Amino acid sequence: MNAPHKCSATVLPDYHQPLEVRELEVPPVDDGGIIVKIDRATICGTDHHITLGALAPISKTPCILGHEMVGKIEAQGKGREVDVAGTPITTGDRLIWAYSYCGKCYYCAVAHEPTLCTNFTPYGYADSTIHPYVIGGFSQYNYILPGCHVVKVPDEVPSHWASSASCALRTIMHATDRVGGIRPSDTVVVQGSGPVGLYGVVVARAMGAKNVINFGAPDARLQVATAFGADQTCNIETTDNAQRAELIMQMTDGRGADVV
Ligand SMILES: [Zn+2]
Ligand SMILES: [Zn+2]
């Protein structure tokens, strides 16, 4: 399969401006790079913030929004035979991938906080007039840079799950790490019922928490939280802080939550 030389992409021309469909160049694949056809892209709250300029000057315009996506391999550069787990990858396989970090700056090499890398190339808010142009999910094709870690999506995982997991689930896995993990005796309170919060419920449940409580809104989201394993939900639009604190105390014999 050969990737096309051009494709359509949805571009944010400047902050506070309406999106435009533009034709952009799909560059030839370099060693270590991969060209994918986007199979599914999902919308993150950050996409909205980017349109308002909230990430400037780190974000650039014009840019292709979208940093949660799944792409099918169309072309592979030399030296890209496996994903981060060592699983072989080939044409037609579905991938998710991370931003390109340099691995050499202070934040990459010393602090081990690559999301703070001073030389990174993001997807979804990089200048689409600079090579490799197609780096954002709301595009027909994307160029995965040689510095991006990639994960092959297992056959049993649908693309819409993998796409949203590539941002929201990853965020929660990092947060769970930072709080030191979750123990079987823990009562976990997840504040918020957007994608990150809902994945927070899933992860707390999967890690064996005793009680999982979700505070959020609207009710439809809280129903998803229940389906995802929350023992108790609480609508923040119809309760106040005191009522929510009382609920936690009741569920923990007055000890309070272990992880928030
Ligand atoms: Zn995101
Ligand atoms: Zn770096």
Side-chain angles (χ1 to χ4, degrees):
M1 234 182 285
N2 283 319
H5 301 300
K6 289 189 180 288
C7 76
S8 294
T10 306
V11 173
L12 177 72
D14 201 353
Y15 305 117
H16 303 282
Q17 297 301 310
L19 302 178
E20 292 175 4
V21 176
R22 292 185 182 176
E23 191 170 74
L24 294 182
E25 184 181 337
V26 180
V29 68
D30 297 314
D31 289 355
I34 304 172
I35 291 175
V36 290
K37 184 173 188 184
I38 296 295
D39 189 48
R40 188 66 67 111
T42 43
I43 300 171
C44 177
T46 303
D47 290 311
H48 174 61
H49 297 148
I50 291 166
T51 67
L52 303 177
L55 267 65
I58 297 171
S59 63
K60 310 291 181 198
T61 56
C63 66
I64 305 170
L65 292 174
H67 55 268
E68 303 180 355
M69 55 275 191
V70 172
K72 279 188 180 170
I73 299 175
E74 290 268 328
Q76 279 167 276
K78 279 192 197 129
R80 270 289 195 169
E81 283 90 29
V82 295
D83 74 356
V84 284
T87 307
I89 55 173
T90 188
T91 304
D93 284 346
R94 293 175 303 147
L95 300 177
I96 56 173
W97 61 98
Y99 297 165
S100 172
Y101 305 116
C102 78
K104 294 172 184 154
C105 72
Y106 173 83
Y107 292 106
C108 284
V110 180
H112 295 145
E113 291 284 358
T115 52
L116 300 175
C117 174
T118 47
N119 308 306
F120 83 126
T121 304
Y123 282 71
Y125 50 97
D127 187 339
S128 62
T129 65
I130 295 174
H131 182 278
Y133 319 113
V134 281
I135 44 174
F138 305 159
S139 173
Q140 290 178 306
Y141 288 83
N142 257 223
Y143 189 105
I144 300 178
L145 288 159
C148 296
H149 294 310
V150 303
V151 177
K152 181 181 170 183
V153 179
D155 291 343
E156 65 272 25
V157 177
S159 289
H160 57 282
W161 288 3
S163 180
S164 65
S166 70
C167 176
L169 176 61
R170 187 167 59 161
T171 302
I172 279 297
M173 296 310 291
H174 183 61
T176 309
D177 239 24
R178 289 193 66 156
V179 298
I182 291 169
R183 295 172 300 173
S185 56
D186 283 346
T187 291
V188 179
V189 174
V190 179
Q191 302 201 82
S193 52
V196 175
L198 292 172
Y199 273 116
V201 169
V202 170
V203 170
R205 179 51 73 219
M207 293 182 81
K210 182 180 176 201
N211 293 312
V212 182
I213 306 169
N214 184 222
F215 293 160
D219 281 334
R221 291 292 186 101
L222 298 177
Q223 285 162 14
V224 176
T226 301
F228 279 8
D231 298 292
Q232 182 78 45
T233 63
C234 196
N235 190 321
I236 57 170
E237 292 173 345
T238 54
T239 57
D240 60 23
N241 280 342
Q243 288 171 308
R244 293 192 287 273
E246 170 72 20
L247 173 73
I248 294 170
M249 289 305 180
Q250 277 174 9
M251 290 185 73
T252 58
D253 295 329
R255 287 191 301 273
D258 302 287
V259 177
V260 178

